[in-house]
Amino acid sequence: MFSRSVNNEYLRFLLAVWTFLPCIVAETPGCTLVNKDSKSEKALLEGLHDLKGETFTVEDRVDGKLKNVYEIGVCASVNKSAPQVGAIQHVIGDKANQTVVLGQLNSTTLLGAPGWTLVTYRNGDRYNGSCNNSFREVQFAVLCSPNEHHGTLQIASSGRAGETACSFLFVISSSVVCSKEKHEQHHRGLSGGAVFCILFFTVAGSYLLLGFLYKRIVVGAKGLEQIPNYSFWKDCGNLQADGCNYICRCQCDSADEHRSYRDIDDRPLRPDEDRDDQLLTM
């Protein structure tokens, strides 16, 4: 009897989950592209995968007084009663508040490049007597920021009264749109060459400074003698100079070089070399 009751409870639980599962899925529909065949927009949408489901809120104050509250979801609904609503505006009035739909998830377009992605939700509530009675639309730009997974929502243009823009533009900083090379370069540590240079100059500087102080204070050296191990570095420099002089400036005569003259010596001239008679006039 006990096992049967447990099985019945388990079956009831599965039936309840199966019943409410379509409702759960319907509440998180995600973004639906207007141009469903665009490969570039699909790639940009896939690049926002780590931000999907996130919602952002920002307040708009005028002279310190709260006027508007904006809610935007990244491929996520911000209104439980309307699953397709991707962005809404709460207008705070003196007597009553008003909620305006700025854009729908099922009318999404994307534009972007490495380092930024611009998402647009269209088909919001229609303007009444302004902006040619067109439908509202909202745009939010996701900009590369390696230090932030998802930053705060900021207002770039809210389409308030007196502004010519009839759309809403917001900015979100996030690392999800950063290129992999830039993201890895930001999180990558110092290279081996940089570590070697830091260690080399640190050791060399410490050697010169401590050696100079020792020779100056303890030994009482003056002038160039204050340099640590001065005699060693002097001999080392002379040896390098000798080596450079030997390699770069040595000019050795070849053994088989033809000489066009003869050294002066005391040996007598041979008969064929005595040609003074040719100098006499005939």
Side-chain angles (χ1 to χ4, degrees):
M1 293 294 294
F2 178 75
S3 60
R4 286 186 178 180
S5 61
V6 172
N7 291 334
N8 291 335
E9 292 295 332
Y10 181 69
L11 291 175
R12 290 177 183 176
F13 173 75
L14 291 179
L15 182 61
V17 172
W18 182 262
T19 302
F20 289 102
L21 184 60
C23 298
I24 297 174
V25 174
E27 289 181 359
T28 56
C31 293
T32 303
L33 297 176
V34 175
N35 187 2
K36 298 181 180 180
D37 298 330
S38 176
K39 294 182 179 180
S40 61
E41 292 190 42
K42 289 181 180 179
L44 292 172
L45 185 60
E46 183 64 25
L48 297 176
H49 181 269
D50 292 340
L51 274 183
K52 287 182 179 179
E54 300 285 349
T55 57
F56 299 86
T57 303
V58 62
E59 296 180 351
D60 179 23
R61 296 180 179 272
V62 178
D63 297 331
K65 187 176 181 180
L66 182 62
K67 291 294 184 180
N68 299 283
V69 177
Y70 299 95
E71 294 183 47
I72 295 179
V74 181
C75 295
S77 175
V78 293
N79 191 337
K80 295 182 179 180
S81 60
Q84 292 294 338
V85 175
I88 57 177
Q89 174 189 10
H90 301 286
V91 182
I92 310 300
D94 296 333
K95 297 182 179 180
N97 300 334
Q98 181 184 3
T99 299
V100 180
V101 176
L102 300 181
Q104 304 279 348
L105 296 177
N106 56 7
S107 299
T108 303
T109 60
L110 290 95
L111 179 67
W116 63 273
T117 300
L118 181 65
V119 183
T120 303
Y121 295 152
R122 297 178 178 175
N123 291 338
D125 291 343
R126 188 185 293 272
Y127 286 98
N128 185 13
S130 62
C131 298
N132 297 324
N133 294 328
S134 60
F135 291 98
R136 287 176 172 83
E137 66 177 33
V138 62
Q139 295 177 319
F140 61 93
V142 184
L143 305 181
C144 172
S145 178
N147 295 325
E148 300 176 285
H149 175 65
H150 62 282
T152 57
L153 183 67
Q154 298 179 357
I155 302 174
S157 175
S158 59
R160 293 189 297 264
E163 294 186 357
T164 56
C166 292
S167 62
F168 298 79
L169 178 61
F170 301 87
V171 175
I172 302 173
S173 300
S174 176
S175 60
V176 299
V177 294
C178 298
S179 61
K180 292 183 178 180
E181 295 180 358
K182 186 173 182 179
H183 189 69
E184 292 176 357
Q185 183 178 4
H186 177 78
H187 291 282
R188 189 185 304 157
L190 294 175
S191 62
V195 173
F196 173 78
C197 290
I198 292 174
L199 293 177
F200 174 79
F201 286 109
T202 301
V203 173
S206 301
Y207 166 76
L208 292 175
L209 179 61
L210 296 178
F212 172 82
L213 293 176
Y214 175 80
K215 296 291 290 287
R216 175 80 175 183
I217 299 174
V218 179
V219 180
K222 302 292 183 179
L224 295 177
E225 296 296 333
Q226 299 175 98
I227 299 176
N229 304 107
Y230 173 71
S231 59
F232 168 78
W233 295 116
K234 182 179 179 181
D235 295 340
C236 181
N238 291 334
L239 292 175
Q240 291 178 355
D242 293 341
C244 179
N245 184 56
Y246 177 79
I247 294 174
C248 301
R249 300 178 183 177
C250 180
Q251 296 179 358
C252 301
D253 296 335
S254 60
D256 57 349
E257 181 180 1
H258 176 71
R259 300 175 64 179
S260 60
Y261 62 90
R262 185 176 67 247
D263 295 336
I264 299 176
D265 53 14
D266 296 333
R267 65 184 180 85
L269 295 175
R270 291 179 299 199
D272 58 345
E273 293 179 349
D274 189 7
R275 303 183 184 277
D276 291 343
D277 55 347
Q278 296 181 3
L279 300 177
L280 299 176
T281 57
M282 297 300 293

